[in-house]
Structures are given as structure tokens and as C-alpha cells.
Amino acid sequence: MRSLYCKERYRMRIAVITGASSGMGRDFVRQLSAIEKYDEIWAIARRRERLEELKKELGDFIRPVCLDLSEKESIEEYERMLIAEKPDVAVLVNASGFGYFKQFDKAPLDGYYKMIALNDAAMVGLTYVTLPFMKENAKIYNICSVAAFQPTPYINIYSATKAFALNFTRALNVELRPRGIKALAVCPFWTRTEFFDTAVSDDTITYYQCYTESRDVVTKAIKDMKKKGRDVSICGRTAQFNAFLTKILPHKFVMRVWCGQQKKPY
Ligand SMILES: NC(=O)c1ccc[n+]([C@@H]2O[C@H](COP(=O)([O-])OP(=O)(O)OC[C@H]3O[C@@H](n4cnc5c(N)ncnc54)[C@H](OP(=O)(O)O)[C@@H]3O)[C@@H](O)[C@H]2O)c1
């Protein structure tokens, strides 16, 4: 009877990390698991073999969860997992996402719908259904981008999805303060990941370099999460300077400079 009572009371403590099959999501899995002990890390992405590799690398506490998060049904499936297992979700990382470097009307409309569904709707949905399973001191990392700070021609829809993600996260952080839960908007600059395999299909955008390493963005985000009052994490001086300029300069000027860099008319 006593053991049954204890079993009922015990809530598995987990981290949920999307985009776990590569780039920053995968680095979040590696770094968070090195810092803290979780009963399980639910590693979410579509490529099962990558998630299985991560499990082999880190241990059986990695639970591969294969979901296409651009589908509403996947969010419902994830919610059913939460309801069935009733875990204590200590950390949620929304790191899945993709973009196109394309003139607006040259990329497929279906692709835009998927991008909005993944970069924004899934972030909202996953956060919404996870919150009932979070306690005081829980943490939410939402991967946005420095592209969130200004309109960005030729990365238009991606940049707009990230502006949504940034505003959503900062406002959410305020709303969650009374519950002692923190939400952090992580805004990377160009970062060396597989992101570019999807984003780049031609030479629409030519002026960019991978300035940052994925693991450094993640290390900085984990540090910034601990800082009182910090709701945005920007890794590296170039990225921070870039963000500062977009705050003080008129956005028309910022767009003109960007178009000049990309050899596009303004
Ligand atoms: N790299 C950069 O320069 C940069 C800069 C600023 C912001 N970001 C943002 O950082 C986040 C992480 O990207 P990354 O740079 O690490 O790129 P990445 O290496 O391409 O990782 C993207 C992740 O998202 C997952 N994903 C893509 N479509 C999905 C779907 N439909 N359902 C579920 N998972 C999906 C991918 O896994 P599967 O393919 O296995 O599903 C992968 O794990 C993204 O939100 C990106 O927009 C990147």
C-alpha cells in the first residue's frame, strides 16, 4: 500500500527539447543533460535515426519522440503523452524551425504555411499544453533569431515568424512571473548548423557568414537564463552590436543597408 502511494506521488522530472536531431536543439540536449539530471529528456524531431544516435551517445534517459510539429495532430499527440505520464516538465526548449532565403513570391506557399506552423504555431501549442505540467522554477527557451529585430526582405516570412516568437516569449515571461517560471527568447545570429541546407537554394542571399558556433549560443542561453531580469539572449559581440543598431536606427535605414549588402534594390 505504501509503495503504491509512493509510486502515485512520484512525478518523473523531464526536459522536453524540440529540434533535437541537429544544431541548437541537439546542443541543448547535450548541455542540459551534462549540467542537470533528468529522469528523461524527450527529444523531439522527425528523423528517428538521429534521435536514436543521441540516445546511444548520452544514455537511455533520452526518449526519442518522432513528430512533425508543423502538424496540429502532433501537438495533440504530445499532449496525450503528457496527460498519460503526468511528468514534471522542468525545461521546455522550442528549437525546431526553418527558413527560406528567397524573394517572397519565389518560395512555395505551402512551405510558408509549414514555416508559420512550425516556427510559431507549434511554439505556442507546445508551450500551452506543457504549462500545466510545469512548476515553480521551470524554464522555457524559445529559439527566435536576430532576424526578429527588424523586417528582413528576402528572408521575409522567416523574419516575421521570429518577430512573433520574440514578442510572444517576452510577453509570456511577464505573464509567468507570478508562477516563478521564466521564458527566454534566444536570438542567434548566423550560426553553423544544418539550417542553411534548407534555407539556401540559390544566390538570393549572398552576404552572410556563419559567425557563431551552435554550442556557444546554447551555453550563453543557459547562462542568461540564470540572470535576473534577462528575457533575451544574444550570443557574441557582433550579434549584440547588430541588435543594438536595429534598436536605435530607423528600420527603413536598416533595410536599405541590408538590401545593399545583398546587392538588391531598395
Ligand atoms: N542557424 C542559424 O543561423 C539560425 C539563426 C537564428 C535562428 N535560428 C533558429 O534556430 C532554431 C534551430 O535551428 P538550427 O540552426 O539548429 O537548424 P537545424 O540544424 O536545421 O535544426 C532544425 C531542427 O528542427 C527540426 N525540424 C525541422 N522541421 C521540423 C518539423 N516539421 N517537425 C519537427 N521538427 C522539425 C529538425 O529536425 P528534423 O529534420 O529531424 O525534423 C532539426 O532538429 C530554428 O528555430 C532556427 O530558425 C537559426
Side-chain angles (χ1 to χ4, degrees):
M1 189 63 190
R2 187 180 144 76
S3 69
L4 178 66
Y5 174 71
C6 290
K7 202 174 170 195
E8 275 174 3
R9 270 187 41 153
Y10 183 72
R11 287 177 71 195
M12 151 168 94
R13 188 169 174 278
I14 70 164
V16 176
I17 301 176
T18 76
S21 60
S22 75
M24 288 177 260
R26 187 169 56 187
D27 277 322
F28 264 106
V29 178
R30 286 177 174 145
Q31 293 193 29
L32 286 175
S33 64
I35 294 167
E36 240 180 302
K37 199 169 161 9
Y38 300 97
D39 293 312
E40 287 189 354
I41 292 184
W42 293 5
I44 307 180
R46 291 166 303 176
R47 286 171 291 178
R48 174 169 290 281
E49 68 288 356
R50 288 286 191 96
L51 302 176
E52 293 293 346
E53 274 169 29
L54 205 54
K55 183 174 170 173
K56 245 188 223 158
E57 176 190 325
L58 298 172
D60 282 345
F61 64 95
I62 302 294
R63 185 197 284 208
V65 180
C66 289
L67 293 173
D68 181 342
L69 293 173
S70 64
E71 309 275 347
K72 192 165 160 259
E73 295 70 32
S74 294
I75 312 295
E76 291 163 358
E77 195 176 326
Y78 165 70
E79 187 181 23
R80 282 195 293 277
M81 286 174 66
L82 289 172
I83 291 167
E85 312 242 358
K86 297 183 183 47
D88 163 15
V89 183
V91 181
L92 169 66
V93 180
N94 285 300
S96 59
F98 75 94
Y100 295 137
F101 294 177
K102 277 272 187 200
Q103 185 177 305
F104 169 67
D105 56 356
K106 299 284 187 239
L109 182 56
D110 237 30
Y112 285 141
Y113 289 150
K114 270 193 183 304
M115 195 188 296
I116 294 164
L118 183 66
N119 298 6
D120 292 333
M123 183 182 279
V124 170
L126 288 165
T127 306
Y128 191 93
V129 301
T130 305
L131 271 173
F133 297 89
M134 292 185 129
K135 298 195 302 210
E136 194 175 355
N137 293 325
K139 297 167 180 65
I140 301 169
Y141 295 87
N142 285 341
I143 315 304
C144 308
S145 168
V146 293
F149 297 136
Q150 73 284 308
T152 318
Y154 305 98
I155 312 186
N156 186 349
I157 304 305
Y158 175 72
S159 163
T161 65
K162 294 301 180 178
F164 176 102
L166 173 68
N167 283 342
F168 163 61
T169 307
R170 297 188 67 200
L172 179 73
N173 183 51
V174 173
E175 290 188 40
L176 292 178
R177 229 175 255 158
R179 283 185 59 185
I181 299 173
K182 184 164 172 181
L184 182 73
V186 181
C187 294
F189 203 28
W190 306 123
T191 306
R192 218 181 305 275
T193 67
E194 291 170 24
F195 172 83
F196 297 91
D197 299 351
T198 311
V200 182
S201 58
D202 57 27
D203 60 359
T204 303
I205 295 293
T206 48
Y207 182 83
Y208 67 89
Q209 279 172 298
C210 291
Y211 290 108
T212 323
E213 296 301 330
S214 165
R215 59 173 179 275
D216 296 337
V217 174
V218 173
T219 306
K220 169 90 167 101
I222 293 171
K223 258 192 207 156
D224 283 342
M225 182 57 97
K226 292 180 191 140
K227 291 186 181 150
K228 205 166 173 254
R230 177 79 46 104
D231 60 358
V232 177
S233 174
I234 304 171
C235 179
R237 282 179 201 282
T238 314
Q240 283 160 5
F241 185 59
N242 184 73
F244 170 71
L245 289 179
T246 58
K247 253 189 207 165
I248 59 164
L249 294 172
H251 282 174
K252 280 184 182 166
F253 178 76
V254 174
M255 285 195 284
R256 185 196 294 268
V257 172
W258 165 256
C259 286
Q261 289 170 329
Q262 304 308 336
K263 298 189 172 39
K264 296 277 184 275
Y266 177 80

